[in-house]
Amino acid sequence: MSKQIRGLGRGLDAILGDSDNLNEPQRTPVGYINKEVAGTSAHQNAGDVLRIPVDQIEPNPYQPRMAFDNESLEELADSIRTFGLIQPVTVRKKSDGRYQIISGERRYKACRLVGMDMIPAYIREANDQGMLEMAIVENIQRQDLDPIEVAMSYQRLIDECSLTQEEMADRVGKKRTSITNYLRLLKLPAKVQHDIKVGLVSVGHAKVLLGVEDPKTQELLCNLVINNGISVRQLEEKVRLLDKQKPAKQKASTELPDEYYRVLEHMGKFFENSISLKRSDSGKGTMTIRFSSDEEIRKFLQALEDKNI
């Protein structure tokens, strides 16, 4: 029996076709089984993903976030059971040979709920910034990285090496727009990221999906691509028809000038990229900042004071 599609507009069936074509395809969780286990060889690239036994990882005692919502943690665990851990955690190696989480404690807790015995992780060379940057850049130059791994490497250069997109473009020899497009892939739902990672969906398809605002519709369109093998051009036509259904007031706004993206990039360093800008054609608009702790505000204030802004 075909699944009934609810809440996505009366014309969705007509545009996307028979809802049987939107059923979930078979997916295999990403396990990073092709990655080395940490500590098994003398020379391991700090820019690459390694697998670490879960009993060798411990939480960060200085983690400012002490409470984790159980319901959202269970939802993340369910996602990991189905798709695997798409984005590895980041850890540092301690003097006793164990590893301590730098970022990704929520993902770590969800992996433990799932019962994973190995957790994919980046090992941060915390005391040698230059070496870390070189290791990540070298890793990006490899030919066997999937698009999501490339995007996560770019994000690491922003988060861990404090590089701007312009600086990254110089380091890796890519256009800034190319880097921006890769980073946008990390905004897609975990299900879609999984399908890009394992090659079920192309980057061309992903760029079209990024033009769809609703995550559930993105996932349905992703299923359609996999089940029907539709081309990027055909997917663009589906999205174009969906856009025609939207009321005029929901029409997408014009592309922001480049300096607006630079504001988002710089401010996002202090607020985990939870910042958005809206701008009208006349130049008026709003900037929204979402923060999760007082510590984020303190860091932002300290940066302003240090630069006498």
Side-chain angles (χ1 to χ4, degrees), residues 15-231:
I15 293 172
L16 301 186
D18 190 325
S19 55
D20 281 334
N21 294 327
L22 304 178
N23 290 340
E24 292 291 333
Q26 187 66 36
R27 290 180 169 93
T28 302
V30 174
Y32 290 92
I33 57 175
N34 61 322
K35 301 297 184 181
E36 287 186 74
V37 176
T40 55
S41 62
H43 301 287
Q44 292 178 312
N45 187 351
D48 200 1
V49 179
L50 299 175
R51 291 184 296 142
I52 303 177
V54 68
D55 59 3
Q56 292 185 21
I57 302 176
E58 60 187 45
N60 189 334
Y62 304 106
Q63 161 68 260
R65 181 180 182 181
M66 301 305 294
F68 293 85
D69 181 71
N70 288 333
E71 184 177 347
S72 65
L73 205 58
E74 286 288 354
E75 289 177 355
L76 179 57
D78 287 341
S79 174
I80 291 172
R81 286 188 188 96
T82 305
F83 310 116
L85 183 64
I86 305 297
Q87 297 193 30
V89 301
T90 300
V91 299
R92 70 180 182 92
K93 191 170 184 178
K94 298 174 59 185
S95 58
D96 61 2
R98 292 174 59 80
Y99 298 88
Q100 190 175 80
I101 293 175
I102 293 176
S103 65
E105 187 156 337
R106 183 168 168 269
R107 280 167 278 159
Y108 162 75
K109 288 180 179 292
C111 287
R112 297 202 64 165
L113 281 177
V114 172
M116 292 173 61
D117 58 350
M118 291 278 185
I119 296 181
Y122 296 112
I123 299 178
R124 171 74 188 267
E125 300 286 350
N127 294 326
D128 196 338
Q129 187 81 8
M131 289 297 293
L132 174 66
E133 181 185 321
M134 285 189 290
I136 297 174
V137 170
E138 181 181 353
N139 195 48
I140 293 172
Q141 305 296 343
R142 288 167 45 189
Q143 299 299 312
D144 60 345
L145 292 184
D146 62 69
I148 298 299
E149 285 181 310
V150 173
M152 290 190 298
S153 294
Y154 288 149
Q155 191 63 54
R156 287 191 74 199
L157 286 170
I158 291 174
D159 294 340
E160 299 182 47
C161 299
S162 301
L163 293 186
T164 65
Q165 291 188 26
E166 289 89 348
E167 289 169 336
M168 279 195 290
D170 290 338
R171 299 289 201 285
V172 301
K174 300 286 186 181
K175 291 183 179 179
R176 184 180 179 279
T177 52
S178 174
I179 290 172
T180 300
N181 286 334
Y182 270 106
L183 289 170
R184 291 177 68 212
L185 297 179
L186 301 180
K187 298 181 183 296
L188 290 165
K191 180 187 296 184
V192 181
Q193 288 190 41
H194 168 279
D195 295 338
I196 298 168
K197 186 172 184 62
V198 300
L200 292 174
V201 173
S202 73
V203 173
H205 288 105
K207 289 180 180 178
V208 179
L209 294 178
L210 282 163
V212 178
E213 294 180 3
D214 180 60
K216 293 298 182 185
T217 305
Q218 288 177 327
E219 292 176 359
L220 287 174
L221 288 167
C222 185
N223 291 349
L224 186 68
V225 170
I226 296 169
N227 293 338
N228 285 27
I230 67 174
S231 67

